[in-house]
Short mmCIF file of all heavy atoms in Angstrom, two decimals:
data_model
loop_
_atom_site.label_atom_id
_atom_site.label_comp_id
_atom_site.label_asym_id
_atom_site.label_seq_id
_atom_site.Cartn_x
_atom_site.Cartn_y
_atom_site.Cartn_z
N MET A 1 6.82 -4.02 8.57
CA MET A 1 7.33 -2.89 9.31
C MET A 1 8.10 -2.00 8.34
O MET A 1 8.83 -2.50 7.48
CB MET A 1 8.26 -3.37 10.43
CG MET A 1 8.90 -2.22 11.20
SD MET A 1 10.15 -2.72 12.41
CE MET A 1 9.19 -3.67 13.54
N VAL A 2 7.91 -0.69 8.50
CA VAL A 2 8.66 0.29 7.73
C VAL A 2 9.45 1.13 8.72
O VAL A 2 8.91 1.63 9.70
CB VAL A 2 7.73 1.19 6.89
CG1 VAL A 2 8.55 2.23 6.13
CG2 VAL A 2 6.89 0.38 5.93
N VAL A 3 10.75 1.26 8.46
CA VAL A 3 11.64 2.02 9.34
C VAL A 3 12.26 3.15 8.53
O VAL A 3 12.96 2.90 7.55
CB VAL A 3 12.76 1.13 9.92
CG1 VAL A 3 13.60 1.90 10.93
CG2 VAL A 3 12.19 -0.14 10.55
N ASP A 4 11.97 4.38 8.94
CA ASP A 4 12.50 5.55 8.24
C ASP A 4 12.46 6.74 9.18
O ASP A 4 11.49 6.90 9.93
CB ASP A 4 11.66 5.83 6.99
CG ASP A 4 12.36 6.75 6.00
OD1 ASP A 4 13.09 7.66 6.43
OD2 ASP A 4 12.16 6.56 4.79
N ASP A 5 13.48 7.56 9.16
CA ASP A 5 13.51 8.74 10.02
C ASP A 5 12.70 9.90 9.44
O ASP A 5 12.46 10.88 10.13
CB ASP A 5 14.96 9.19 10.28
CG ASP A 5 15.69 9.56 9.01
OD1 ASP A 5 15.64 8.78 8.05
OD2 ASP A 5 16.33 10.63 8.98
N ASN A 6 12.22 9.76 8.22
CA ASN A 6 11.44 10.80 7.57
C ASN A 6 9.95 10.45 7.68
O ASN A 6 9.49 9.46 7.09
CB ASN A 6 11.86 10.92 6.11
CG ASN A 6 11.15 12.02 5.38
OD1 ASN A 6 9.93 12.05 5.32
ND2 ASN A 6 11.94 12.93 4.81
N GLU A 7 9.20 11.26 8.41
CA GLU A 7 7.79 10.96 8.66
C GLU A 7 6.96 10.96 7.38
O GLU A 7 6.02 10.17 7.25
CB GLU A 7 7.22 11.94 9.68
CG GLU A 7 7.77 11.71 11.06
CD GLU A 7 7.11 12.58 12.12
OE1 GLU A 7 5.89 12.76 12.07
OE2 GLU A 7 7.84 13.06 13.00
N THR A 8 7.31 11.81 6.42
CA THR A 8 6.58 11.84 5.15
C THR A 8 6.78 10.53 4.39
O THR A 8 5.82 9.95 3.86
CB THR A 8 7.02 13.04 4.29
OG1 THR A 8 6.81 14.24 5.03
CG2 THR A 8 6.26 13.10 2.99
N SER A 9 8.00 10.06 4.34
CA SER A 9 8.29 8.78 3.68
C SER A 9 7.55 7.63 4.36
O SER A 9 7.01 6.74 3.68
CB SER A 9 9.79 8.49 3.68
OG SER A 9 10.47 9.43 2.90
N LEU A 10 7.52 7.66 5.69
CA LEU A 10 6.79 6.63 6.43
C LEU A 10 5.32 6.61 6.03
O LEU A 10 4.74 5.56 5.80
CB LEU A 10 6.89 6.86 7.94
CG LEU A 10 8.12 6.36 8.66
CD1 LEU A 10 8.04 6.72 10.14
CD2 LEU A 10 8.31 4.88 8.49
N LYS A 11 4.73 7.79 5.98
CA LYS A 11 3.31 7.90 5.65
C LYS A 11 3.03 7.37 4.24
O LYS A 11 2.08 6.60 4.03
CB LYS A 11 2.85 9.35 5.76
CG LYS A 11 1.39 9.55 5.47
CD LYS A 11 0.99 11.00 5.62
CE LYS A 11 -0.49 11.16 5.27
NZ LYS A 11 -0.91 12.53 5.23
N ILE A 12 3.86 7.76 3.28
CA ILE A 12 3.68 7.32 1.90
C ILE A 12 3.83 5.81 1.77
O ILE A 12 2.99 5.13 1.16
CB ILE A 12 4.67 8.05 0.96
CG1 ILE A 12 4.30 9.53 0.87
CG2 ILE A 12 4.69 7.40 -0.43
CD1 ILE A 12 5.37 10.40 0.23
N LEU A 13 4.89 5.26 2.35
CA LEU A 13 5.11 3.81 2.27
C LEU A 13 4.01 3.04 2.98
O LEU A 13 3.54 2.01 2.49
CB LEU A 13 6.48 3.44 2.85
CG LEU A 13 7.66 3.78 1.96
CD1 LEU A 13 8.96 3.65 2.73
CD2 LEU A 13 7.68 2.88 0.74
N LYS A 14 3.57 3.55 4.12
CA LYS A 14 2.49 2.88 4.84
C LYS A 14 1.22 2.85 3.99
O LYS A 14 0.58 1.80 3.85
CB LYS A 14 2.22 3.56 6.17
CG LYS A 14 1.11 2.88 6.95
CD LYS A 14 0.88 3.52 8.30
CE LYS A 14 -0.22 2.75 9.04
NZ LYS A 14 -0.41 3.24 10.39
N GLU A 15 0.84 4.00 3.43
CA GLU A 15 -0.37 4.05 2.61
C GLU A 15 -0.28 3.12 1.41
O GLU A 15 -1.25 2.45 1.06
CB GLU A 15 -0.63 5.48 2.16
CG GLU A 15 -1.10 6.39 3.28
CD GLU A 15 -1.28 7.84 2.85
OE1 GLU A 15 -1.20 8.14 1.63
OE2 GLU A 15 -1.52 8.67 3.74
N LEU A 16 0.89 3.06 0.79
CA LEU A 16 1.08 2.16 -0.35
C LEU A 16 0.92 0.70 0.06
O LEU A 16 0.19 -0.07 -0.58
CB LEU A 16 2.47 2.38 -0.97
CG LEU A 16 2.84 1.45 -2.11
CD1 LEU A 16 1.95 1.70 -3.32
CD2 LEU A 16 4.29 1.65 -2.48
N LEU A 17 1.57 0.30 1.15
CA LEU A 17 1.50 -1.09 1.59
C LEU A 17 0.11 -1.46 2.09
O LEU A 17 -0.37 -2.57 1.83
CB LEU A 17 2.56 -1.34 2.67
CG LEU A 17 4.00 -1.30 2.18
CD1 LEU A 17 4.97 -1.28 3.35
CD2 LEU A 17 4.29 -2.47 1.25
N VAL A 18 -0.56 -0.54 2.77
CA VAL A 18 -1.93 -0.79 3.22
C VAL A 18 -2.85 -0.99 2.01
O VAL A 18 -3.75 -1.84 2.04
CB VAL A 18 -2.43 0.35 4.14
CG1 VAL A 18 -3.93 0.28 4.35
CG2 VAL A 18 -1.70 0.31 5.48
N SER A 19 -2.60 -0.27 0.93
CA SER A 19 -3.43 -0.44 -0.28
C SER A 19 -3.28 -1.84 -0.88
O SER A 19 -4.13 -2.29 -1.62
CB SER A 19 -3.09 0.63 -1.33
OG SER A 19 -1.86 0.35 -1.98
N PHE A 20 -2.18 -2.53 -0.53
CA PHE A 20 -1.97 -3.92 -0.96
C PHE A 20 -2.37 -4.91 0.13
O PHE A 20 -1.97 -6.07 0.11
CB PHE A 20 -0.51 -4.15 -1.35
CG PHE A 20 -0.11 -3.49 -2.63
CD1 PHE A 20 0.77 -2.42 -2.62
CD2 PHE A 20 -0.59 -3.93 -3.84
CE1 PHE A 20 1.16 -1.80 -3.79
CE2 PHE A 20 -0.21 -3.32 -5.03
CZ PHE A 20 0.66 -2.25 -5.00
N SER A 21 -3.10 -4.43 1.13
CA SER A 21 -3.65 -5.25 2.23
C SER A 21 -2.62 -5.70 3.26
O SER A 21 -2.87 -6.66 3.98
CB SER A 21 -4.39 -6.47 1.67
OG SER A 21 -5.44 -6.04 0.84
N PHE A 22 -1.49 -5.02 3.35
CA PHE A 22 -0.53 -5.31 4.41
C PHE A 22 -0.97 -4.63 5.70
O PHE A 22 -1.55 -3.55 5.67
CB PHE A 22 0.87 -4.77 4.06
CG PHE A 22 1.63 -5.58 3.07
CD1 PHE A 22 1.54 -5.31 1.71
CD2 PHE A 22 2.46 -6.60 3.48
CE1 PHE A 22 2.26 -6.05 0.78
CE2 PHE A 22 3.18 -7.35 2.57
CZ PHE A 22 3.08 -7.07 1.21
N GLU A 23 -0.68 -5.26 6.83
CA GLU A 23 -0.79 -4.60 8.12
C GLU A 23 0.58 -3.97 8.35
O GLU A 23 1.60 -4.67 8.30
CB GLU A 23 -1.10 -5.59 9.22
CG GLU A 23 -2.48 -6.18 9.15
CD GLU A 23 -2.74 -7.17 10.26
OE1 GLU A 23 -2.16 -7.02 11.37
OE2 GLU A 23 -3.50 -8.11 10.02
N VAL A 24 0.62 -2.66 8.62
CA VAL A 24 1.90 -1.95 8.64
C VAL A 24 2.15 -1.30 10.00
O VAL A 24 1.29 -0.61 10.53
CB VAL A 24 1.95 -0.87 7.54
CG1 VAL A 24 3.29 -0.15 7.56
CG2 VAL A 24 1.68 -1.48 6.18
N THR A 25 3.34 -1.52 10.52
CA THR A 25 3.83 -0.84 11.70
C THR A 25 4.95 0.07 11.24
O THR A 25 5.78 -0.34 10.41
CB THR A 25 4.39 -1.85 12.73
OG1 THR A 25 3.37 -2.78 13.05
CG2 THR A 25 4.89 -1.16 13.97
N THR A 26 5.00 1.29 11.74
CA THR A 26 6.07 2.21 11.34
C THR A 26 6.93 2.56 12.54
O THR A 26 6.44 2.66 13.67
CB THR A 26 5.49 3.51 10.73
OG1 THR A 26 4.63 4.14 11.67
CG2 THR A 26 4.73 3.22 9.45
N MET A 27 8.21 2.73 12.28
CA MET A 27 9.18 3.11 13.29
C MET A 27 10.06 4.22 12.74
O MET A 27 10.41 4.21 11.55
CB MET A 27 10.08 1.92 13.67
CG MET A 27 9.34 0.74 14.24
SD MET A 27 8.69 1.12 15.85
CE MET A 27 7.41 -0.09 15.98
N LEU A 28 10.42 5.18 13.59
CA LEU A 28 11.22 6.33 13.16
C LEU A 28 12.73 6.12 13.27
O LEU A 28 13.50 6.99 12.87
CB LEU A 28 10.83 7.57 13.98
CG LEU A 28 9.49 8.20 13.59
CD1 LEU A 28 9.05 9.20 14.65
CD2 LEU A 28 9.60 8.86 12.23
N SER A 29 13.16 4.97 13.79
CA SER A 29 14.60 4.73 13.91
C SER A 29 14.87 3.23 13.99
O SER A 29 13.99 2.43 14.30
CB SER A 29 15.16 5.41 15.17
OG SER A 29 14.67 4.76 16.34
N GLY A 30 16.12 2.90 13.74
CA GLY A 30 16.54 1.51 13.86
C GLY A 30 16.40 1.00 15.28
O GLY A 30 16.00 -0.15 15.50
N SER A 31 16.71 1.84 16.26
CA SER A 31 16.61 1.39 17.65
C SER A 31 15.16 1.12 18.04
O SER A 31 14.88 0.17 18.77
CB SER A 31 17.26 2.41 18.60
OG SER A 31 16.63 3.66 18.50
N GLU A 32 14.21 1.93 17.54
CA GLU A 32 12.79 1.68 17.80
C GLU A 32 12.38 0.34 17.19
O GLU A 32 11.64 -0.44 17.80
CB GLU A 32 11.91 2.77 17.21
CG GLU A 32 11.85 4.04 18.00
CD GLU A 32 10.86 5.05 17.40
OE1 GLU A 32 10.00 4.66 16.57
OE2 GLU A 32 10.95 6.22 17.78
N ALA A 33 12.84 0.08 15.98
CA ALA A 33 12.51 -1.18 15.30
C ALA A 33 13.06 -2.37 16.07
O ALA A 33 12.37 -3.37 16.26
CB ALA A 33 13.05 -1.16 13.88
N LEU A 34 14.29 -2.26 16.54
CA LEU A 34 14.90 -3.36 17.30
C LEU A 34 14.14 -3.62 18.59
O LEU A 34 13.90 -4.78 18.95
CB LEU A 34 16.36 -3.04 17.60
CG LEU A 34 17.29 -3.07 16.40
CD1 LEU A 34 18.66 -2.51 16.77
CD2 LEU A 34 17.43 -4.49 15.86
N THR A 35 13.73 -2.56 19.26
CA THR A 35 12.96 -2.72 20.50
C THR A 35 11.64 -3.43 20.21
O THR A 35 11.26 -4.37 20.91
CB THR A 35 12.69 -1.35 21.15
OG1 THR A 35 13.94 -0.74 21.47
CG2 THR A 35 11.85 -1.48 22.40
N GLU A 36 10.95 -3.02 19.17
CA GLU A 36 9.68 -3.64 18.79
C GLU A 36 9.88 -5.11 18.44
O GLU A 36 9.10 -5.98 18.87
CB GLU A 36 9.07 -2.90 17.59
CG GLU A 36 7.92 -3.61 16.92
CD GLU A 36 6.68 -3.81 17.80
OE1 GLU A 36 6.52 -3.05 18.78
OE2 GLU A 36 5.90 -4.72 17.50
N LEU A 37 10.91 -5.41 17.68
CA LEU A 37 11.16 -6.81 17.29
C LEU A 37 11.52 -7.67 18.49
O LEU A 37 11.08 -8.82 18.60
CB LEU A 37 12.26 -6.87 16.24
CG LEU A 37 11.86 -6.35 14.86
CD1 LEU A 37 13.08 -6.15 13.99
CD2 LEU A 37 10.87 -7.29 14.21
N GLU A 38 12.31 -7.13 19.41
CA GLU A 38 12.67 -7.88 20.62
C GLU A 38 11.43 -8.14 21.48
O GLU A 38 11.25 -9.25 21.99
CB GLU A 38 13.73 -7.13 21.41
CG GLU A 38 15.09 -7.17 20.76
CD GLU A 38 16.11 -6.23 21.40
OE1 GLU A 38 15.73 -5.40 22.25
OE2 GLU A 38 17.29 -6.34 21.04
N LEU A 39 10.57 -7.13 21.62
CA LEU A 39 9.34 -7.31 22.39
C LEU A 39 8.42 -8.35 21.75
O LEU A 39 7.87 -9.20 22.44
CB LEU A 39 8.59 -5.98 22.54
CG LEU A 39 9.21 -4.96 23.48
CD1 LEU A 39 8.47 -3.63 23.38
CD2 LEU A 39 9.20 -5.47 24.91
N SER A 40 8.27 -8.29 20.44
CA SER A 40 7.38 -9.24 19.77
C SER A 40 7.94 -10.66 19.84
O SER A 40 7.19 -11.62 19.96
CB SER A 40 7.12 -8.84 18.33
OG SER A 40 8.29 -8.91 17.55
N THR A 41 9.25 -10.78 19.81
CA THR A 41 9.89 -12.10 19.92
C THR A 41 9.71 -12.65 21.34
O THR A 41 9.39 -13.82 21.52
CB THR A 41 11.39 -12.01 19.58
OG1 THR A 41 11.52 -11.52 18.25
CG2 THR A 41 12.05 -13.37 19.68
N ASN A 42 9.87 -11.80 22.34
CA ASN A 42 9.76 -12.23 23.74
C ASN A 42 8.33 -12.60 24.13
O ASN A 42 8.14 -13.41 25.03
CB ASN A 42 10.28 -11.15 24.68
CG ASN A 42 11.79 -10.97 24.57
OD1 ASN A 42 12.49 -11.87 24.13
ND2 ASN A 42 12.28 -9.81 24.97
N THR A 43 7.35 -12.01 23.49
CA THR A 43 5.95 -12.31 23.82
C THR A 43 5.38 -13.41 22.96
O THR A 43 4.22 -13.78 23.11
CB THR A 43 5.07 -11.04 23.69
OG1 THR A 43 5.12 -10.58 22.34
CG2 THR A 43 5.52 -9.95 24.63
N GLY A 44 6.17 -13.92 22.04
CA GLY A 44 5.72 -14.99 21.17
C GLY A 44 4.82 -14.53 20.04
O GLY A 44 4.16 -15.34 19.41
N SER A 45 4.80 -13.24 19.78
CA SER A 45 3.98 -12.72 18.69
C SER A 45 4.52 -13.19 17.35
O SER A 45 5.68 -13.57 17.23
CB SER A 45 3.97 -11.19 18.71
OG SER A 45 3.37 -10.71 19.87
N ARG A 46 3.65 -13.13 16.35
CA ARG A 46 4.05 -13.50 14.99
C ARG A 46 5.11 -12.51 14.50
O ARG A 46 4.91 -11.31 14.55
CB ARG A 46 2.82 -13.45 14.10
CG ARG A 46 3.07 -13.97 12.73
CD ARG A 46 1.79 -13.95 11.92
NE ARG A 46 2.11 -13.37 10.65
CZ ARG A 46 1.57 -12.28 10.13
NH1 ARG A 46 0.64 -11.64 10.78
NH2 ARG A 46 1.93 -11.82 8.97
N PRO A 47 6.22 -13.01 14.02
CA PRO A 47 7.25 -12.10 13.50
C PRO A 47 6.77 -11.38 12.24
O PRO A 47 5.83 -11.80 11.59
CB PRO A 47 8.43 -13.02 13.18
CG PRO A 47 7.86 -14.38 13.08
CD PRO A 47 6.59 -14.40 13.88
N TYR A 48 7.43 -10.32 11.92
CA TYR A 48 7.08 -9.55 10.72
C TYR A 48 7.50 -10.31 9.47
O TYR A 48 8.55 -10.92 9.42
CB TYR A 48 7.78 -8.19 10.76
CG TYR A 48 7.22 -7.30 11.84
CD1 TYR A 48 7.74 -7.32 13.13
CD2 TYR A 48 6.17 -6.44 11.58
CE1 TYR A 48 7.21 -6.51 14.13
CE2 TYR A 48 5.63 -5.63 12.56
CZ TYR A 48 6.15 -5.68 13.84
OH TYR A 48 5.62 -4.89 14.81
N ASP A 49 6.65 -10.26 8.46
CA ASP A 49 6.95 -10.93 7.18
C ASP A 49 7.85 -10.08 6.30
O ASP A 49 8.56 -10.61 5.45
CB ASP A 49 5.65 -11.23 6.42
CG ASP A 49 4.80 -12.25 7.14
OD1 ASP A 49 5.36 -13.20 7.71
OD2 ASP A 49 3.56 -12.09 7.14
N LEU A 50 7.80 -8.76 6.48
CA LEU A 50 8.55 -7.85 5.64
C LEU A 50 8.99 -6.66 6.46
O LEU A 50 8.20 -6.11 7.23
CB LEU A 50 7.67 -7.37 4.47
CG LEU A 50 8.23 -6.30 3.55
CD1 LEU A 50 9.40 -6.87 2.73
CD2 LEU A 50 7.13 -5.79 2.62
N ILE A 51 10.25 -6.27 6.32
CA ILE A 51 10.75 -5.06 6.97
C ILE A 51 11.44 -4.22 5.90
O ILE A 51 12.37 -4.69 5.24
CB ILE A 51 11.74 -5.38 8.10
CG1 ILE A 51 11.09 -6.27 9.15
CG2 ILE A 51 12.25 -4.09 8.74
CD1 ILE A 51 12.03 -6.75 10.24
N ILE A 52 10.96 -3.00 5.72
CA ILE A 52 11.55 -2.06 4.77
C ILE A 52 12.29 -1.02 5.60
O ILE A 52 11.70 -0.37 6.46
CB ILE A 52 10.48 -1.40 3.90
CG1 ILE A 52 9.74 -2.47 3.08
CG2 ILE A 52 11.11 -0.33 2.99
CD1 ILE A 52 8.56 -1.94 2.31
N ILE A 53 13.59 -0.88 5.33
CA ILE A 53 14.43 -0.01 6.15
C ILE A 53 15.13 1.03 5.28
O ILE A 53 15.75 0.69 4.27
CB ILE A 53 15.51 -0.82 6.90
CG1 ILE A 53 14.88 -1.95 7.71
CG2 ILE A 53 16.34 0.09 7.80
CD1 ILE A 53 15.88 -2.93 8.28
N ASP A 54 15.04 2.29 5.71
CA ASP A 54 15.75 3.37 5.05
C ASP A 54 17.26 3.12 5.20
O ASP A 54 17.73 2.75 6.28
CB ASP A 54 15.36 4.70 5.70
CG ASP A 54 16.07 5.90 5.10
OD1 ASP A 54 16.59 5.80 3.98
OD2 ASP A 54 16.07 6.96 5.76
N MET A 55 17.99 3.31 4.15
CA MET A 55 19.43 3.07 4.19
C MET A 55 20.19 4.16 4.94
O MET A 55 21.16 3.87 5.62
CB MET A 55 19.94 2.98 2.74
CG MET A 55 21.37 2.61 2.65
SD MET A 55 21.55 0.92 3.16
CE MET A 55 22.92 0.46 2.19
N GLN A 56 19.73 5.40 4.82
CA GLN A 56 20.47 6.53 5.40
C GLN A 56 19.68 7.16 6.54
O GLN A 56 18.88 8.06 6.31
CB GLN A 56 20.77 7.57 4.32
CG GLN A 56 21.65 7.03 3.23
CD GLN A 56 21.90 8.05 2.14
OE1 GLN A 56 21.11 8.95 1.92
NE2 GLN A 56 23.01 7.89 1.44
N MET A 57 19.92 6.66 7.74
CA MET A 57 19.29 7.23 8.94
C MET A 57 20.39 7.64 9.90
O MET A 57 21.46 7.03 9.92
CB MET A 57 18.38 6.19 9.62
CG MET A 57 17.18 5.79 8.81
SD MET A 57 16.09 4.67 9.71
CE MET A 57 17.10 3.20 9.86
N PRO A 58 20.14 8.66 10.70
CA PRO A 58 21.15 9.05 11.68
C PRO A 58 21.25 8.02 12.81
O PRO A 58 20.31 7.27 13.05
CB PRO A 58 20.64 10.39 12.21
CG PRO A 58 19.17 10.36 11.97
CD PRO A 58 18.97 9.53 10.74
N HIS A 59 22.37 7.97 13.45
CA HIS A 59 22.65 7.11 14.62
C HIS A 59 22.81 5.64 14.25
O HIS A 59 23.77 5.02 14.64
CB HIS A 59 21.60 7.27 15.72
CG HIS A 59 21.34 8.69 16.09
ND1 HIS A 59 22.29 9.49 16.70
CD2 HIS A 59 20.25 9.47 15.92
CE1 HIS A 59 21.80 10.69 16.90
NE2 HIS A 59 20.55 10.71 16.43
N MET A 60 21.86 5.06 13.53
CA MET A 60 21.96 3.67 13.11
C MET A 60 21.37 3.57 11.71
O MET A 60 20.17 3.69 11.51
CB MET A 60 21.18 2.77 14.08
CG MET A 60 21.37 1.30 13.80
SD MET A 60 20.36 0.18 14.85
CE MET A 60 20.54 0.84 16.48
N ASP A 61 22.23 3.33 10.71
CA ASP A 61 21.74 3.28 9.33
C ASP A 61 21.07 1.94 9.04
O ASP A 61 21.00 1.06 9.90
CB ASP A 61 22.87 3.58 8.34
CG ASP A 61 23.97 2.53 8.32
OD1 ASP A 61 23.74 1.40 8.79
OD2 ASP A 61 25.06 2.83 7.83
N GLY A 62 20.57 1.80 7.82
CA GLY A 62 19.85 0.60 7.44
C GLY A 62 20.67 -0.67 7.50
O GLY A 62 20.18 -1.72 7.89
N ILE A 63 21.94 -0.59 7.14
CA ILE A 63 22.81 -1.77 7.19
C ILE A 63 23.01 -2.22 8.63
O ILE A 63 22.85 -3.41 8.95
CB ILE A 63 24.19 -1.48 6.53
CG1 ILE A 63 24.01 -1.14 5.06
CG2 ILE A 63 25.15 -2.65 6.74
CD1 ILE A 63 23.56 -2.28 4.20
N GLU A 64 23.36 -1.30 9.50
CA GLU A 64 23.58 -1.64 10.91
C GLU A 64 22.30 -2.19 11.54
O GLU A 64 22.33 -3.17 12.29
CB GLU A 64 24.05 -0.41 11.68
CG GLU A 64 24.43 -0.71 13.12
CD GLU A 64 24.94 0.50 13.87
OE1 GLU A 64 25.12 1.58 13.27
OE2 GLU A 64 25.16 0.37 15.09
N THR A 65 21.17 -1.58 11.20
CA THR A 65 19.88 -2.06 11.71
C THR A 65 19.63 -3.49 11.24
O THR A 65 19.23 -4.36 12.02
CB THR A 65 18.73 -1.14 11.26
OG1 THR A 65 18.98 0.18 11.72
CG2 THR A 65 17.40 -1.63 11.79
N SER A 66 19.86 -3.75 9.96
CA SER A 66 19.65 -5.10 9.40
C SER A 66 20.53 -6.14 10.06
O SER A 66 20.08 -7.24 10.37
CB SER A 66 19.94 -5.09 7.90
OG SER A 66 19.06 -4.23 7.23
N ILE A 67 21.78 -5.79 10.30
CA ILE A 67 22.71 -6.72 10.96
C ILE A 67 22.21 -7.06 12.36
O ILE A 67 22.22 -8.22 12.77
CB ILE A 67 24.13 -6.12 10.99
CG1 ILE A 67 24.71 -6.10 9.58
CG2 ILE A 67 25.03 -6.91 11.96
CD1 ILE A 67 25.99 -5.28 9.44
N LYS A 68 21.74 -6.05 13.08
CA LYS A 68 21.24 -6.28 14.44
C LYS A 68 19.94 -7.06 14.43
O LYS A 68 19.69 -7.88 15.33
CB LYS A 68 21.09 -4.96 15.18
CG LYS A 68 22.44 -4.35 15.50
CD LYS A 68 22.32 -3.09 16.31
CE LYS A 68 23.73 -2.57 16.62
NZ LYS A 68 23.74 -1.51 17.61
N ILE A 69 19.10 -6.85 13.43
CA ILE A 69 17.85 -7.61 13.32
C ILE A 69 18.15 -9.09 13.12
O ILE A 69 17.51 -9.96 13.72
CB ILE A 69 16.97 -7.07 12.18
CG1 ILE A 69 16.35 -5.74 12.58
CG2 ILE A 69 15.89 -8.08 11.78
CD1 ILE A 69 15.62 -5.01 11.47
N LYS A 70 19.14 -9.41 12.32
CA LYS A 70 19.49 -10.81 12.06
C LYS A 70 19.93 -11.53 13.33
O LYS A 70 19.81 -12.73 13.43
CB LYS A 70 20.58 -10.90 11.01
CG LYS A 70 20.07 -10.58 9.60
CD LYS A 70 21.16 -10.68 8.58
CE LYS A 70 21.43 -12.14 8.32
NZ LYS A 70 22.37 -12.35 7.21
N LYS A 71 20.44 -10.77 14.32
CA LYS A 71 20.91 -11.36 15.57
C LYS A 71 19.80 -11.61 16.58
O LYS A 71 20.03 -12.26 17.60
CB LYS A 71 21.98 -10.47 16.19
CG LYS A 71 23.24 -10.41 15.36
CD LYS A 71 24.28 -9.51 15.99
CE LYS A 71 25.52 -9.44 15.12
NZ LYS A 71 26.54 -8.56 15.70
N ILE A 72 18.60 -11.10 16.30
CA ILE A 72 17.49 -11.28 17.25
C ILE A 72 16.91 -12.67 17.10
O ILE A 72 16.69 -13.16 16.05
CB ILE A 72 16.39 -10.20 17.03
CG1 ILE A 72 16.94 -8.83 17.37
CG2 ILE A 72 15.16 -10.51 17.87
CD1 ILE A 72 15.98 -7.69 17.10
#
């Protein structure tokens, strides 16, 4: 999963990771990422192996997002 509020950065990172054979989900905010992770956890889906998070996002930065992800 790649989390970034900048759509251009999301596109670039996704293309790079896909070129290395990763399956990539993109989210535009920390809250979107948390919702996705909670849903995947509740449905028993395979958790994400890697999450790349932008450090400087509005409303919820990368640190706050990471702390909340650890609590899921």
Side-chain angles (χ1 to χ4, degrees):
M1 177 187 297
V2 178
V3 185
D4 197 325
D5 60 312
N6 183 303
E7 290 186 41
T8 302
S9 294
L10 277 179
K11 182 179 178 186
I12 292 167
L13 285 168
K14 181 177 182 175
E15 289 176 8
L16 176 66
L17 292 169
V18 167
S19 75
F20 289 111
S21 301
F22 283 92
E23 291 180 30
V24 181
T25 303
T26 58
M27 300 291 159
L28 285 167
S29 69
S31 60
E32 282 185 16
L34 290 170
T35 299
E36 168 64 23
L37 289 167
E38 288 170 351
L39 287 173
S40 66
T41 301
N42 291 338
T43 61
S45 296
R46 187 177 133 239
Y48 291 89
D49 294 322
L50 174 68
I51 302 174
I52 299 173
I53 306 170
D54 179 18
M55 185 70 150
Q56 297 178 334
M57 294 184 293
H59 310 294
M60 187 185 315
D61 66 19
I63 298 292
E64 185 178 354
T65 302
S66 298
I67 290 169
K68 290 184 178 191
I69 286 172
K70 287 181 76 173
K71 293 179 181 179
I72 295 176

